[in-house]
Amino acid sequence: MNQEAHHARGRAIVIGAGLGGLASAMRLGAKGWQVTVVDRLDRAGGRGSSITDQGHRFDLGPTIVTVPQTLRDLWAACGRDFHADVDLRPLDPFYEIRFQDGARFTMRPGVPAMRDEVARLSPSDVPGFDRFLDEARARYDFGFQDLGRRPMHKLLDLIKVLPKFAMMRADRSVHAHAARRVRHPALRFALSFHPLFIGGDPFRVTSMYALVSHLESSFGVHYAMGGVQAIADAMTRVIEGQGGQVRLQTEADEILVDKGRATGIRLKSGEEIAAEVTVSNADPGFTYGQLLRKHPKRRWTDKRMANARWSMGLFVWYFGTKGTRQMWPDAGHHTILVGPHYREHIRDLFRAGKITGDMSLYVHRPTVTDPSAAPPGDDTFYALSPVPHLGHNAADWSSFAETYKDRVATMLDGLIPGFRSRITAERVFTPETFQSRYLSPFGAGFSLEPRILQSAWFRPHNVSEEFQGLYLCGAGTHPGAGVPGVIGTAEILDQLIGPPAVRAVPPAVPPALPLAAE
């Protein structure tokens, strides 16, 4: 055994401190691996990180937790209690959906409350709603608890489940499935829009995603005080408590390969870190196209990744407002504003790849639940609008961002009138930001679109068939995007990677200096 191989024994390297990478590092550390996580950003969390400006904490990405048990299980695997480290609050209501015709739909905890809301809007749709929930539960049991919690890198595993997919009509879109159960347009939207939050077209992605309605009704929607950043920071503390390292502002340049096996990474600085196990939390397109650029690939070639269907991009306007905490009492923690031509807008967004005058917005106002997100008496918001990814060449965002922001402001004025005169701090993220900040191919907001032929076995696998010792986690791999999904990728890696045969010797820690005499 050469010196480098000996030095790598018992060591694991994780590229990217997103939630999937941090969760993978925690599980590896719990098994006895000596783990180092590297990330180019200045905060852990990846898309779930935050920026603070003038006292406003802008949570940059995910804002809710829908299956707390996945986090409890992760912490338990490390011998810890999640709720001792993170203050997770159940929300009521979960969110309110507002339509252009004045209709509103408020999602609340528990099936009885949801059924009451359906009855208020469309009494004749209650039986169909009940049936939809029953079918959502079956899809949860199969799609989330079964397929979503085990590896899917073997073709035989896919072949075995094809009859179940057919029985559940996985070929039908989630919107088409909802339309077969309820008639009111607002209910059809409320039961099918969720794939947008993981980068999917509700009119095209599989009806398996109806399982989200079961997640909401059974587990609720939760918010971590301090934002998802608080979860990422707590994950970092667990890793460091295991003896691992999280090195921020440290960028990986290349995955090193020797005789078909990943042997660690080279940083942009030139430093090499040897490892027996290499895990990439970078987007699979970036992992195979850039980090492994010097090595030929058999399956995940540059051409294949370029021709894949990528999720839409995102335009996100983060802003803080002065003295507004008691204003706009009708604007809750989560509000969805639906444009007048939703179906046409989604078609233009995903298929034509063009920007039109119509839009829908997700508006996040965390200060309703968490006052620490803003200075006393102030508010923090973000408004998110789906837009085409950069591969469509729909806009030059360096010049178009201000124009698009004005359009968003016009729509927001119906929810929080006069807000622009009270803005004190603001940031705008466009698909170009996602490309430069997160190294996301085409600036896609959620990696590969979760269509049926880009899911499970068809999605980049958690264990690389290209190079031994290389594993992938995060939104672009199985089971997919969303907080439960990326945390789930670490659970799958836990099944693929055993404990080290030889434990690495932890890096030497210099002795603490004696305290100066008072």
Side-chain angles (χ1 to χ4, degrees):
M1 180 184 297
N2 62 38
Q3 187 64 30
E4 280 191 18
H6 177 74
H7 182 63
R9 294 296 297 272
R11 299 186 183 278
I13 185 78
V14 178
I15 304 167
L19 298 184
L22 294 172
S24 298
M26 289 171 66
R27 287 189 176 271
L28 288 168
K31 282 190 168 180
W33 292 92
Q34 186 68 38
V35 185
T36 299
V37 183
V38 299
D39 195 286
R40 65 199 297 269
L41 300 180
D42 61 350
R43 296 294 300 269
R47 284 170 168 78
S49 59
S50 67
I51 293 174
T52 298
D53 186 354
Q54 299 181 52
H56 295 275
R57 187 191 69 245
F58 298 128
D59 301 317
L60 300 179
T63 60
I64 61 172
V65 174
T66 52
V67 193
Q69 189 59 46
T70 58
L71 291 164
R72 296 188 195 109
D73 290 346
L74 172 62
W75 255 252
C78 301
R80 300 181 62 131
D81 175 11
F82 170 71
H83 293 288
D85 290 346
V86 178
D87 182 2
L88 198 66
R89 305 280 180 92
L91 298 182
D92 184 9
F94 299 160
Y95 48 83
E96 182 183 59
I97 306 171
R98 300 188 183 190
F99 300 89
Q100 291 293 304
D101 63 1
R104 297 187 182 188
F105 186 86
T106 303
M107 194 65 77
R108 295 187 177 277
V111 174
M114 292 170 66
R115 187 182 289 114
D116 288 346
E117 187 69 359
V118 171
R120 180 191 63 78
L121 195 65
S122 178
S124 64
D125 277 324
V126 172
F129 171 74
D130 289 339
R131 184 176 177 186
F132 183 89
L133 277 191
D134 287 341
E135 292 165 338
R137 183 184 305 109
R139 283 163 170 76
Y140 163 80
D141 291 338
F142 174 59
F144 189 94
Q145 287 288 69
D146 183 7
L147 297 188
R149 302 189 71 171
R150 59 184 172 97
M152 284 295 294
H153 60 282
K154 296 178 180 178
L155 182 58
L156 181 60
D157 292 334
L158 173 69
I159 294 172
K160 288 178 179 177
V161 300
L162 286 178
K164 196 77 174 281
F165 270 113
M167 183 185 72
M168 291 188 170
R169 291 304 307 268
D171 61 308
R172 183 180 291 148
S173 78
V174 65
H175 185 276
H177 179 64
R180 292 174 71 90
R181 300 292 174 255
V182 296
R183 297 183 62 85
H184 197 289
L187 289 180
R188 290 177 173 180
F189 175 93
L191 297 179
S192 68
F193 78 94
H194 305 92
L196 287 168
F197 287 111
I198 55 170
D201 174 353
F203 298 95
R204 307 275 282 196
V205 303
T206 170
S207 64
M208 297 301 295
Y209 284 103
L211 64 83
V212 177
S213 291
H214 176 74
L215 297 183
E216 291 183 345
S217 64
S218 295
F219 303 106
V221 171
H222 301 76
Y223 175 83
M225 300 298 282
V228 170
Q229 180 72 72
I231 299 177
D233 291 343
M235 297 169 92
T236 299
R237 292 193 295 271
V238 173
I239 294 165
E240 292 173 343
Q242 294 169 331
Q245 295 180 307
V246 178
R247 296 176 55 179
L248 301 176
Q249 296 180 298
T250 304
E251 184 170 358
D253 179 60
E254 180 185 354
I255 294 174
L256 301 174
V257 176
D258 182 35
K259 298 177 181 177
R261 182 176 186 86
T263 59
I265 64 171
R266 180 181 293 114
L267 302 177
K268 287 281 189 180
S269 65
E271 176 188 352
E272 294 187 3
I273 304 175
E276 188 176 353
V277 165
T278 301
V279 178
S280 180
N281 185 209
D283 190 282
F286 187 83
T287 298
Y288 285 118
Q290 293 298 317
L291 296 177
L292 290 162
R293 61 189 179 275
K294 297 180 180 178
H295 306 278
K297 275 75 67 175
R298 299 183 302 277
R299 179 169 184 176
W300 304 108
T301 62
D302 292 348
K303 182 178 179 180
R304 178 170 185 162
M305 299 307 285
N307 291 334
R309 298 284 304 212
W310 294 86
S311 74
M312 75 287 196
L314 299 173
F315 179 95
V316 196
W317 183 13
Y318 309 92
F319 57 91
T321 53
K322 183 72 174 174
T324 60
R325 187 71 60 82
Q326 302 304 317
M327 295 176 62
W328 312 310
D330 203 30
H333 191 139
H334 301 287
T335 307
I336 298 164
L337 305 177
V338 186
H341 307 293
Y342 167 66
R343 180 187 286 268
E344 293 80 4
H345 170 54
I346 294 299
R347 180 193 61 215
D348 290 337
L349 171 64
F350 281 93
R351 301 185 214 175
K354 64 181 182 181
I355 297 172
T356 62
D358 194 28
M359 67 173 62
S360 294
L361 298 179
Y362 161 59
V363 186
H364 179 224
R365 188 186 189 183
T367 37
V368 171
T369 304
D370 184 2
S372 73
D378 297 349
D379 266 315
T380 295
F381 290 87
Y382 86 46
L384 179 152
S385 172
V387 295
H389 64 63
L390 297 177
H392 294 294
N393 296 312
D396 175 4
W397 287 104
S398 62
S399 58
F400 186 62
E402 196 65 27
T403 298
Y404 199 82
K405 188 174 77 171
D406 288 340
R407 295 184 188 178
V408 172
T410 299
M411 193 168 191
L412 282 175
D413 250 328
L415 177 71
I416 47 176
F419 75 98
R420 294 199 75 169
S421 65
R422 294 179 173 269
I423 290 177
T424 54
E426 61 179 319
R427 303 284 180 97
V428 168
F429 278 21
T430 72
E432 291 177 354
T433 317
F434 279 76
Q435 186 177 56
S436 62
R437 179 179 174 86
Y438 304 122
L439 306 178
S440 178
F442 303 106
F446 304 91
S447 190
L448 295 166
E449 186 183 348
R451 302 177 69 170
I452 193 166
L453 294 181
Q454 293 189 157
S455 300
W457 180 82
F458 297 103
R459 205 166 182 83
H461 300 156
N462 306 98
V463 55
S464 174
E465 57 272 89
E466 307 281 2
F467 307 99
Q468 292 183 5
L470 175 62
Y471 302 85
L472 283 74
C473 64
T477 65
H478 172 67
V483 174
V486 299
I487 297 297
T489 63
E491 184 177 346
I492 291 171
L493 290 191
D494 196 45
Q495 301 169 50
L496 296 170
I497 305 173
V502 177
R503 297 202 174 197
V505 177
V509 178
L513 296 174
L515 296 175
E518 294 184 4

